[in-house]
Each structure stands twice: as structure tokens, then as C-alpha cells.
Amino acid sequence: MADRVYPAAKPATTNGTAAAPATTGGDGGANPAFPANKAQLYNAARPTYRPVPPPRRKHRRSCCCCCCLFITFLIVILILLAAIAGAIFWVLYRPQRPSFSVSTLQVSQFNLTSTKLASKFNLSIVARNPNKKISFLYDPINISFNSDDSEIGSGSLPAFTHDTKNTTTLKTVVSSSGTTLDDSVISTLRSKLNKKKNIPLEIKLDTKVKVKIGSLKTTKVGIRVNCDGIKITVPSGKTPTKATTSDVKCKVDLRIKIWKWTL
């Protein structure tokens, strides 16, 4: 009678997956297989880390730094050259400002009414040029007489050339014919005339001048001459009175115009 053959038993499954067969070691014993842990599963799915190289410095930045350094160096060189040129010019020419002084000032007329002023002054100004190699070319000069910031007379002087080591006397008449003044100005002038018998006066000269060095001439530069500390006495009759000019100081300032402002 023939032997019956039965099929082998199916391997046990875990969650629908067949269990891995046991492995046999070299010594004939069976070593069980363990499932992979979380660290192994995470490292298997993680991509290989590849470090990103640092970004390269742009060439444009280095060019800007070079340009800034070159401009700074150029400015320093120009300043040094200008300083050297100024020192050489000073040693060769010894430039000095011209000076002005009030020689005489006579008051011929000073009639003050309730609203108007009529005045007449005879003015003599001395201009001195102390330079040996520098001369000045003046445009016409505008003159204004002020007392407490109010104009009480105006006039002018003609253009002239001020040669080296030269002293020039300039004479003119400064007047105002029926100039209307504010009530406050009228009252201030009357008060000073009644109390002190004199009023303070300030003289301003405004003009433009060129500087001539040999055959070289510069562009015109504005100047203002301000003479302060004058006191005038009103004449009582037809005889003119002489103003006190012994303590008068005249200051020469540059008048530089930048767009809408004058410095």
C-alpha cells in the first residue's frame, strides 16, 4: 500500500507578512532575526548630507573699496598741494587786507519832522593798500548811513584802482531828501537828540573788488566796510557840525553769495 505525502505547514505570518526563516550559525544553532529599530529606519530614509560651500565674495565689492580708497587718497593729495601752494604764495607776496578809516564827517543838514527826514553829510574816507605786490580794482561803492538800524542817508563813490603801497582819500556827499520814517524811528531819534544832543551813526560801504597780482586778475569778490562808533550832533543853524571820528573802527569783511544767501 502506497504512503501518502502531506504538504508542509505554512510559515507563521505576522500582520500578513511571512516571518523570516531562522538562520543557522556555523555551530549548527539557529540565530533569530530582529526587526530594524527607529534610528536605522530614519538613517536609511535620510539623504546623504553634503556640506554647502561658502558663497564667494563678489568682485564688485572689492572694486568699490578700491575706488573709495583711491578717491580718499586723491583728496588728501589735493589738500596737501593746496596747502603747499598757499604757503608759497604767502611767503612770496605777504597779502594783507586793505584798510579804511573815516577822515572827516560834517553834518550840514538834519531836519526831522513828524514823518520825514532831510539830511546832508560831507564824508571823507581814507583807503590804504599796505601790499607791495598786490593792487585792488574797486567797482562803484554804495554808501549808507544808519542809526538804530534805520537808514538816514545814502550816497556813492566812483570806481577806482588802488595801487600798491598807496593811500587814497575819497570824498562824497551823503544825503536823504524827504525820506519817510516810521513813527517809532522818529520818536527814538527825537528822544536821543533831546537827552544826549547827539545820535549814533553807522557807515556801511558795499562794493566788489578784483585783486591784481602782476598781470593776473581774479574774479570780483564782494566786500563790506563797516564803520561803527560815530556820533553826530545836529547843527543849530547854517554852520555845519563836525562828527566825532577819533574812536571810529572800520572793519573789512568778504561778502560771498551762495545761491540766495550772502555770507
Side-chain angles (χ1 to χ4, degrees):
M1 186 174 180
D3 295 333
R4 293 183 180 180
V5 179
Y6 294 92
K10 295 183 179 181
T13 62
T14 304
N15 294 332
T17 305
T23 57
T24 303
D27 55 356
N31 295 328
F34 297 97
N37 55 24
K38 291 183 179 181
Q40 293 174 344
L41 293 174
Y42 176 76
N43 292 331
R46 186 177 181 182
T48 305
Y49 172 73
R50 295 177 181 176
V52 180
R56 296 181 180 179
R57 294 183 179 179
K58 296 182 179 180
H59 184 66
R60 184 179 180 181
R61 183 177 179 182
S62 61
C63 290
C64 291
C65 293
C66 292
C67 290
C68 293
L69 183 61
F70 175 76
I71 292 174
T72 304
F73 179 75
L74 182 62
I75 292 174
V76 172
I77 293 297
L78 292 177
I79 292 175
L80 290 176
L81 291 177
I84 294 172
I88 294 174
F89 178 81
W90 177 265
V91 171
L92 292 178
Y93 295 100
R94 300 283 181 175
Q96 301 181 49
R97 291 186 179 185
S99 62
F100 294 82
S101 61
V102 179
S103 176
T104 58
L105 176 61
Q106 292 182 344
V107 185
S108 301
Q109 180 185 5
F110 198 90
N111 296 330
L112 186 63
T113 64
S114 59
T115 57
K116 294 183 179 181
L117 171 66
S119 62
K120 185 178 181 180
F121 305 89
N122 298 319
L123 176 66
S124 294
I125 292 180
V126 177
R128 295 180 177 87
N129 180 9
N131 296 282
K132 295 181 179 180
K133 300 180 181 180
I134 300 175
S135 57
F136 301 98
L137 287 75
Y138 292 94
D139 282 358
I141 302 173
N142 297 321
I143 305 174
S144 63
F145 281 14
N146 300 290
S147 180
D148 293 331
D149 296 329
S150 299
E151 186 174 300
I152 61 175
S154 60
S156 63
L157 287 168
F160 71 99
T161 300
H162 211 181
D163 293 327
T164 58
K165 302 294 290 184
N166 178 264
T167 300
T168 303
T169 301
L170 308 171
K171 296 182 179 182
T172 186
V173 174
V174 179
S175 62
S176 65
S177 56
T179 303
T180 302
L181 301 177
D182 295 336
D183 295 338
S184 60
V185 176
I186 294 290
S187 62
T188 301
L189 292 176
R190 285 186 181 278
S191 176
K192 290 184 177 180
L193 288 175
N194 293 332
K195 291 181 180 180
K196 300 180 180 180
K197 304 301 180 181
N198 56 44
I199 58 174
L201 183 67
E202 181 184 15
I203 301 176
K204 291 182 180 180
L205 311 178
D206 290 304
T207 186
K208 290 184 177 181
V209 61
K210 286 183 179 181
V211 179
K212 183 180 179 182
I213 306 173
S215 59
L216 179 64
K217 295 180 182 179
T218 64
T219 58
K220 293 181 180 180
V221 179
I223 64 169
R224 167 171 286 182
V225 181
N226 193 351
C227 301
D228 200 0
I230 306 172
K231 293 182 179 181
I232 60 174
T233 303
V234 177
S236 57
K238 294 183 178 180
T239 304
T241 59
K242 190 175 181 180
T244 304
T245 59
S246 58
D247 298 330
V248 177
K249 296 180 180 180
C250 295
K251 184 180 179 182
V252 181
D253 295 321
L254 291 177
R255 302 279 287 176
I256 302 173
K257 188 173 183 180
I258 302 176
W259 195 29
K260 295 182 181 180
W261 298 276
T262 303
L263 304 178

